[in-house]
Amino acid sequence: LMQSWLKSFERALELVAEYSHEDFRCVISSEPPPMPNQQIIPESVLQKCIKIADEAPQDLKANLRRAFSKFSPERLESSSKPREFKAMLFALCFFHSLILGRKKFGTWGWSRGYSFNDGDLTICGDVLHNYLEKYEQVPYEDI
């Protein structure tokens, strides 16, 4: 959501709340702001809402299980080299899980913050799949 639009959205919600049916519900979603000093949704809107948070787990095992669950069994078997693909995908999920667990330490050890998300993981899985399919022999040195 754009910051400039949120004020008019807030006003529209006030009008809707005043004149709408009592069973009316408005569902909005948002990601946390990229910087701690930024706000996405105005506080007055948040105070009137029921909030549901879906945060990544903090321990490595839970992060790894969550990351690996992003790939269906059909996706795991779709490669012409399923054994190699599964092993490398596991390594990719392990790395992703470490990165997510590392975020709790803030920017220590990083030149700048980056919000690693599930989209990054699935795109990397697609790139890995395409890379393995491109060659007859697994290009371990390149990977």
Side-chain angles (χ1 to χ4, degrees), residues 68 71-87 89 129 133:
F68 210 67
F71 300 94
S72 68
E74 294 81 24
R75 181 73 174 129
L76 296 175
E77 298 297 330
S78 68
S79 175
S80 61
K81 302 170 191 73
R83 197 179 103 218
E84 292 86 353
F85 178 64
K86 288 178 193 176
L89 187 64
H129 181 269
E133 296 303 308

Side-chain angles (χ1 to χ4, degrees), residues 4-99:
S4 60
W5 177 76
L6 283 172
K7 293 296 178 191
S8 58
F9 175 68
E10 183 178 9
R11 180 65 184 136
L13 279 180
E14 289 172 2
L15 292 172
V16 167
E18 193 173 321
Y19 299 109
S20 66
H21 189 273
E22 64 184 36
D23 291 335
F24 174 78
R25 300 292 181 263
C26 176
V27 178
I28 59 174
S29 66
S30 133
E31 290 185 1
M35 305 296 279
N37 59 346
Q38 291 179 327
Q39 290 183 335
I40 298 276
I41 298 178
E43 189 174 337
S44 60
V45 173
L46 287 174
Q47 288 174 347
K48 297 175 188 175
C49 297
I50 297 172
K51 291 157 279 305
I52 300 172
D54 180 25
E55 296 181 9
Q58 293 300 314
D59 65 323
L60 181 62
K61 184 177 180 181
N63 271 332
L64 186 56
R65 187 172 288 168
R66 184 175 182 268
F68 210 67
S69 73
K70 300 296 175 192
F71 300 94
S72 68
E74 294 81 24
R75 181 73 174 129
L76 296 175
E77 298 297 330
S78 68
S79 175
S80 61
K81 302 170 191 73
R83 197 179 103 218
E84 292 86 353
F85 178 64
K86 288 178 193 176
M88 289 181 194
L89 187 64
F90 179 81
L92 183 65
C93 289
F94 187 79
F95 178 71
H96 184 77
S97 300
L98 282 174
I99 297 293

Side-chain angles (χ1 to χ4, degrees), residues 96-124:
H96 184 77
S97 300
L98 282 174
I99 297 293
L100 288 181
R102 177 75 179 78
K103 284 171 56 174
K104 66 183 170 189
F105 297 108
T107 57
W108 289 1
W110 301 95
S111 58
R112 64 187 179 103
Y114 179 78
S115 172
F116 289 97
N117 58 36
D118 294 339
D120 295 321
L121 175 64
T122 55
I123 288 170
C124 288

